[in-house]
Amino acid sequence: KQEVTQIPAALSVPEGENLVLNCSFTDSAIYNLQWFRQDPGKGLTSLLLIQSSQREQTSGRLNASLDKSSGRSTLYIAASQPGDSATYLCAAQGGSEKLVFGKGTKLTVNP
Amino acid sequence: DAGITQSPRYKITETGRQVTLMCHQTWSHSYMFWYRQDLGHGLRLIYYSAAADITDKGEVSDGYVVSRSKTENFPLTLESATRSQTSVYFCAATPREGTYEQYFGPGTRLTVT
């Protein structure tokens, strides 16, 4: 059974700092790895999807990498801003279409 | 732009009542999913559907029923609501064939008293 872990559960950084969020998964036979952002009381916004044949994806200040052999993905946020404050979730998709989610990292960027 | 909507956004019901949560999407090709989100458990899959009339159970399907007679709609029914079903429910869909990237609706906050 796939299990997804995100460490740390919470992170507080000053504005402008570069930061890395970690995601690990137990079953390396994944099809996709998807990163989401969730603001309080809101739905999930898809940030990046990395397919199993890819090593990384970039969107603006965000860069996500995938290492299937080690069961790890990282989300790199460059030059963090207060507007980046949110909970970040990663989810692994196996041979079926179902996503298994981590419990998220709550990020606070202080002005 | 096409998208995914849920209704109602908030619902309060009593134990034992039947409740139906609605999900509607406007993409022509789409898998659809229902998740619930609870503190301490994160997001868990309830049911999913590959196409009209094709549904399958997820991790926490007991007490829930789904149907998908039309591609664009995927209602979730709580047959006899219990307090443990108090949660935030999210519907998701995959609009792009071949990538399985999931897009989420705004959620329904359900309280069972």
Side-chain angles (χ1 to χ4, degrees), chain A residues 43-64:
Chain A
L44 279 69
T45 300
S46 179
L47 296 174
L48 290 164
L49 175 88
I50 312 174
Q51 297 183 6
S52 61
S53 58
Q54 300 172 324
R55 295 296 298 271
E56 64 179 63
Q57 281 285 342
T58 298
S59 176
R61 294 182 293 107
L62 305 180
N63 176 277

Side-chain angles (χ1 to χ4, degrees), chain A residues 31-32 34 38 46 97 103, chain B residues 37 40 45 99-102:
Chain A
Y31 190 77
N32 291 328
Q34 194 167 356
Q38 186 175 30
S46 179
E97 302 74 23
K103 294 183 179 178
Chain B
Q37 186 174 36
L45 181 67
T99 69
Y100 303 115
E101 182 173 6
Q102 292 190 21

Side-chain angles (χ1 to χ4, degrees), chain A residues 4-10 22 87-90 101-106, chain B residues 42:
Chain A
V4 178
T5 303
Q6 293 185 249
I7 296 173
N22 297 298
T87 295
Y88 291 80
L89 297 156
C90 70
F101 282 85
K103 294 183 179 178
T105 294
K106 184 176 181 180

Side-chain angles (χ1 to χ4, degrees), chain B residues 3-107:
Chain B
I4 183 167
T5 58
Q6 294 182 237
S7 61
R9 295 293 314 280
Y10 303 90
K11 177 74 176 178
I12 300 174
T13 192
E14 296 177 343
T15 300
R17 290 194 178 267
Q18 183 179 82
V19 177
T20 296
L21 310 183
M22 302 301 295
C23 179
H24 175 80
Q25 53 85 15
T26 57
W27 298 297
S28 58
H29 164 84
S30 188
Y31 283 85
M32 297 186 76
F33 307 82
W34 275 106
Y35 296 88
R36 59 178 289 175
Q37 186 174 36
D38 305 287
L39 281 174
H41 291 282
L43 278 145
R44 293 177 291 174
L45 181 67
I46 305 171
Y47 266 99
Y48 70 107
S49 169
D53 299 320
I54 301 174
T55 63
D56 206 350
K57 295 180 178 180
E59 180 185 357
V60 289
S61 60
D62 288 347
Y64 302 95
V65 175
V66 294
S67 63
R68 196 173 177 194
S69 57
K70 293 184 177 181
T71 301
E72 62 268 28
N73 296 322
F74 191 38
L76 175 72
T77 298
L78 287 66
E79 295 182 295
S80 178
T82 65
R83 290 193 181 88
S84 66
Q85 292 177 312
T86 292
S87 186
V88 180
Y89 291 85
F90 289 103
C91 180
T94 55
R96 295 190 181 90
E97 188 172 1
T99 69
Y100 303 115
E101 182 173 6
Q102 292 190 21
Y103 288 80
F104 279 68

Side-chain angles (χ1 to χ4, degrees), chain A residues 35-85:
Chain A
W35 282 92
F36 295 88
R37 167 186 174 138
Q38 186 175 30
D39 294 288
K42 304 292 185 181
L44 279 69
T45 300
S46 179
L47 296 174
L48 290 164
L49 175 88
I50 312 174
Q51 297 183 6
S52 61
S53 58
Q54 300 172 324
R55 295 296 298 271
E56 64 179 63
Q57 281 285 342
T58 298
S59 176
R61 294 182 293 107
L62 305 180
N63 176 277
S65 66
L66 175 63
D67 184 344
K68 286 178 57 179
S69 62
S70 66
R72 293 181 58 188
S73 177
T74 60
L75 180 67
Y76 175 83
I77 302 177
S80 58
Q81 303 171 357
D84 294 330
S85 297

